[in-house]
């Protein structure tokens, strides 16, 4: 069995491989080869495992990045690739290539969860928001003068909550410990009964009944049980967990403690995406305050034997780690490759022990249910989707931000609330979700109709939907973990077909082959990433066929590349220019 | 009834698929009741005439490969990409991790034991493409026969299906390689 991290429980575990690699990366700007073997020895891990982890996560590098490593989000909402090109020009640097003096490197990264306040970049892991072209010369000057980040304008780093409409959860009147006090008064059986009565379903998007998950885990006999909060909010367009972790962190942790109370867990982990690293200090402070208030630690609220504490583990730029079994692998200091299920984490999770993995918002809802009861919660929402949902609204609307409404609200109503009525299309649930056009704006946001983990991305008539879908398809090809062939090979092929069509070189044949391949990738992939990766391009084909049709060439076939250009290098090397040295 | 005309060729391949084609063994004799060969290593015909089926092994690594493939596409009603290299580039495509310049310099200038180092420029030699490509990136391909190489049984099945006027379908056992 892998070594447990419990020695560091209660603190951010310093002996976790990911944290040690984060340290090395920030100290040396890469992972120096000579550090790998000693680290493996110290952590009692195989060198091969350390090597594979370094290569798996986007935020670890084999060669040095700049002293200022600037990553631009490439999301359709918080992305700023035009700004990236401009900054590259100002600083004299190519994307992905560290400047010769070692001062700066610039590259792109997947959505950083700042979709309501883009353009967003990460500078040495710190989040910079609302970046505009006007700021770039100043930013370039700060880089060139090697000004420490702490001396950069503070408002550049001021992430706002942007809560536009609060509902059941965000209209918070609870005090710290209310949920736990109610729970220990009623007892674990009664708490579980209330969660069941509430019909609470997982808020990550899949909607698994929470009470059932807790019950399965509680019923599993094992030496240890674990609670894991999935705060790897990587689905582009999703940023509601960011707000919950910033302004409602106490409730997130209390929700974990409630779960621990039910399943009899002593240790919990908050798996936080690396992009939200800036939240760590405030989260640690919240944990400390809770320990002081006896809401975490030993004999919580003076209940003998109710011992529970929480550690924060920081991811390193891998979307796939939002998949719960990949997340557990990552917690176990391995590559984030999804496990074969069953067995499910509720019986065989972290270190093979029964583990509940819950979304951030689910845990917050559990606290409210503990205080107000299942009936109260059940009274809101729809038949199959009780309670409220916190939506992250971004894209082409006047007021992007956080909107909490009871389940069952129509897309149209949400669009009116945020000033997005001019939309031609909305992407529900992020790239892995559903693309809808105006004809479907009457549909309801609920598990029984349009399920979503919270991401609502709005696209006005000015947007090129093919560019949007191409962005999503590139995202999946980049984030594929590489474990199974249909996804590892299929997603880059889908990207290739879309690029060909987008560049005006596609034919009907390419569109048909792409659709055929898309269905294969969907059906044959190992996990949800591959099973949903073709959704955007297939949805676009079904709902906006003209977007493809107007790009297609009216001929039987067109090659994938310029054949004559493919001979350029060898023509030069051989000094040839005869007829045989060309291809038409 | 006139016979079905088949052409075969190997581009950037190893002829292993052709060897496997011969693994149809005595079934080849029965097959010859219905088919005749146009361009193929069996006939030594240099240019493909109008055919019913073209079997192409190997990917595209140079300009000549492109010319031959285009001739096959033009002359064959049905074009089949045969084997891993034709379908994905295969072993020759391992050079795609390097630039073609690096490859030529390693082979003709810097390699161990190279005598009189120079990159050959004889017009008789086809120029290398910058990367090795699978067939479907240059012409439309009708069917794919996977395998490295596809088994004799797989060749027999796809040809029998086509001769019977059926849509080719290989059973899972012929697509399962471990």
């Amino acid at each position: 069995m892998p070594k447990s991290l419990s020695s560091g429980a209660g603190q951010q575990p310093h002996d976790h491989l990911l944290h040690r690699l984060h340290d090395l990366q920030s100290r040396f700007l890469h992972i120096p080869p000579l550090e790998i073997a000693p680290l493996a020895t110290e952590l009692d891990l195989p060198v091969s495992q350390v090597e594979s982890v370094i290569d798996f996560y986007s935020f670890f590098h084999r060669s040095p990045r700049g002293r200022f490593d600037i990553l631009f989000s490439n999301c359709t909402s918080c992305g700023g690739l035009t700004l990236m090109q401009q900054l590259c020009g100002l600083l004299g640097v190519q994307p992905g290539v560290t400047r010769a003096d070692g001062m700066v490197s610039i590259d792109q990264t997947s959505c950083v969860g700042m979709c309501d306040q883009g353009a967003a970049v990460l500078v040495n892991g710190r989040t910079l928001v609302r970046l505009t072209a006007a700021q770039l010369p100043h930013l370039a000057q700060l880089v060139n003068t090697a000004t420490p980040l702490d001396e950069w304008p503070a408002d550049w780093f001021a992430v706002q909550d942007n809560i536009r409409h609060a509902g059941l959860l965000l209209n918070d009147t609870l005090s710290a410990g209310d949920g736990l006090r109610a729970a220990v008064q009623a007892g674990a059986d009664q708490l579980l009964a209330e969660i069941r009565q509430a019909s609470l379903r997982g808020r990550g998007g899949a909607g698994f009944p929470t009470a059932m998950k807790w019950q399965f885990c509680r019923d599993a006999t094992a030496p240890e049980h674990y609670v894991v909060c999935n705060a790897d909010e990587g689905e582009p367009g999703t940023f509601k967990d960011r707000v919950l972790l910033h302004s409602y962190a106490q409730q997130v942790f209390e929700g974990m403690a409630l779960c621990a109370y039910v399943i009899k867990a002593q240790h919990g982990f908050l798996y936080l995406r690396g992009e939200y690293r800036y939240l760590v200090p405030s989260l640690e402070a919240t944990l400390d305050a809770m320990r002081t208030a006896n809401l975490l630690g030993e004999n919580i609220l003076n209940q003998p034997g109710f011992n529970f504490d929480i550690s924060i583990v920081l991811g390193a730029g891998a979307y796939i780690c939002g998949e719960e079994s990949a997340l557990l692998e990552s917690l176990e200091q391995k590559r984030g490759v999804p496990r074969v299920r069953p067995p499910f984490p509720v019986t065989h999770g972290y270190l093979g022990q029964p583990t509940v993995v819950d979304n951030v918002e689910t845990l917050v809802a559990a606290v409210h249910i503990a205080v107000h009861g299942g009936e109260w919660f059940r009274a809101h929402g729809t038949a199959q989707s009780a309670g409220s949902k916190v939506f992250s609204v971004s894209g082409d609307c006047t007021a992007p931000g956080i909107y909490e409404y009871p389940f069952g609200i129509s897309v149209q109503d949400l669009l009116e609330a945020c000033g997005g009525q001019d939309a031609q299309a909305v992407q529900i649930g992020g790239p892995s979700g559903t693309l809808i056009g105006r004809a479907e704006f009457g549909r309801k946001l609920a598990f029984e109709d349009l399920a979503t983990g919270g991401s609502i991305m709005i696209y006005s008539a000015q947007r090129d939907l093919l560019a949007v879908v191409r962005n999503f398809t590139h995202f999946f090809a980049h984030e594929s973990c590489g474990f199974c062939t249909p996804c590892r090979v299929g997603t880059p092929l889908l990207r290739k077909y879309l690029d060909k069509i987008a560049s005006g070189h596609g034919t009907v044949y390419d569109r048909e082959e792409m659709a055929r391949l898309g269905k294969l990738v969907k059906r044959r992939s190992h996990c949800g990433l591959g099973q949903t990766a073709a959704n955007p391009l297939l949805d676009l084909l079904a709902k906006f066929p003209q977007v493809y049709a107007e790009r297609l060439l009216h001929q039987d076939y067109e090659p994938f590349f310029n054949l004559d250009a493919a001979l350029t290098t060898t023509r030069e090397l051989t000094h040839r220019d005869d007829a045989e040295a060309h291809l038409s | 009834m006139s016979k079905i005309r088949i052409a075969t060729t190997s581009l950037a391949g190893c002829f292993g698929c052709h060897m496997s084609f011969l693994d149809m063994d005595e079934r080849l004799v029965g097959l010859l009741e219905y088919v005749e060969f146009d361009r193929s290593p069996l006939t030594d015909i240099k240019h493909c005439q109008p055919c019913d089926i073209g079997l192409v092994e190997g990917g595209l690594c140079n300009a000549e490969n492109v010319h031959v493939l285009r001739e096959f596409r033009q002359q064959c009603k049905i074009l089949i990409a045969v084997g891993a290299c034709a379908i994905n580039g295969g072993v020759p495509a391992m050079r795609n991790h390097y630039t073609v310049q690096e490859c030529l310099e390693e082979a003709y200038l810097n390699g161990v034991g190279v005598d009189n180092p120079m990159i050959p420029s004889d017009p008789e030699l086809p120029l290398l493409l910058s990367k090795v490509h699978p067939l479907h990136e240059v012409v439309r391909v009708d069917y794919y026969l996977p395998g490295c190489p596809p088994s004799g049984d797989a060749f027999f099945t796809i040809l029998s299906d086509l001769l019977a006027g059926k849509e080719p379908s290989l059973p899972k056992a012929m697509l399962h390689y471990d």
Side-chain angles (χ1 to χ4, degrees), chain B:
Chain B
M1 195 182 87
S2 65
K3 288 184 173 178
I4 297 289
R5 214 167 161 79
I6 297 180
T8 78
T9 191
S10 177
L11 304 176
C14 68
F15 274 100
C17 295
H18 275 78
M19 298 307 290
S20 192
F21 184 85
L22 298 177
D23 284 343
M24 282 192 279
D25 296 331
E26 74 282 2
R27 284 172 293 183
L28 272 170
V29 178
L31 202 59
L32 285 171
E33 299 278 317
Y34 304 98
V35 310
E36 57 190 358
F37 286 97
D38 191 278
R39 174 175 173 159
S40 145
L42 298 168
T43 62
D44 209 25
I45 296 171
K46 301 300 181 197
H47 286 282
C48 184
Q49 299 302 307
C51 286
D52 298 290
I53 299 171
L55 297 171
V56 182
E57 168 191 343
L60 301 154
C61 76
N62 63 30
E64 194 218 3
N65 293 157
V66 174
H67 291 305
V68 174
L69 179 64
R70 283 175 164 173
E71 182 180 293
F72 265 69
R73 177 67 278 182
Q74 205 174 0
Q75 302 287 23
C76 301
K77 289 182 195 148
I78 294 172
L79 191 70
I80 305 177
V82 177
C85 304
I87 296 171
N88 290 317
V91 170
M94 290 172 78
R95 81 152 154 99
N96 289 355
H97 296 286
Y98 305 91
T99 66
V100 66
Q101 181 163 357
E102 287 169 328
C103 295
L104 288 170
E105 287 174 351
E106 180 65 20
Y108 293 107
L109 303 182
N110 309 325
V112 176
V114 172
D115 192 32
N116 184 22
M118 60 176 285
I119 292 173
S121 59
D122 191 320
E124 289 279 305
L125 295 173
L127 287 184
L128 293 186
L129 296 164
S130 59
K131 299 284 176 198
V132 176
H133 293 268
L135 305 187
H136 69 268
E137 293 191 356
V138 174
V139 298
R140 174 198 276 268
V141 170
D142 298 303
Y143 297 108
Y144 298 88
L145 183 59
C148 185
S151 65
D153 288 344
F155 276 106
F156 187 72
T157 303
I158 196 167
L159 290 176
S160 301
D161 282 352
L162 288 172
L163 287 174
K166 288 195 302 190
E167 191 68 13
S169 170
L170 297 177
K172 191 177 174 192
M174 285 187 202
L175 296 168
H176 198 262
Y177 302 102
D178 57 7

Side-chain angles (χ1 to χ4, degrees), chain A residues 393-443:
Chain A
V393 179
S394 68
D396 303 326
C397 60
T398 52
I402 297 292
Y403 292 79
E404 185 189 10
Y405 283 103
F407 268 119
I409 183 175
S410 71
V411 175
Q412 183 62 39
D413 287 346
L414 187 56
L415 286 174
E416 282 168 18
C418 70
Q421 299 94 318
D422 294 337
Q424 63 164 324
V426 180
Q427 184 75 27
I428 309 287
S432 71
T434 313
L435 178 71
I436 60 167
R438 296 190 77 89
E440 296 178 89
F441 286 179
R443 291 179 67 180

Side-chain angles (χ1 to χ4, degrees), chain A residues 43-88:
Chain A
L43 296 182
D44 199 14
L45 297 171
V47 170
S48 58
Q49 185 174 334
V50 177
E51 297 269 7
S52 71
V53 165
I54 295 167
D55 287 333
F56 186 84
Y57 296 90
S58 299
F59 291 169
F60 303 137
H61 301 279
R62 294 284 190 171
S63 57
R65 308 290 282 190
R67 277 176 65 187
F68 293 92
D69 188 27
I70 305 175
L71 299 176
F72 280 77
S73 165
N74 58 18
C75 155
T76 62
S77 289
C78 62
L81 296 187
T82 317
L83 297 179
M84 181 179 87
Q85 290 302 338
Q86 289 171 3
L87 189 64
C88 282

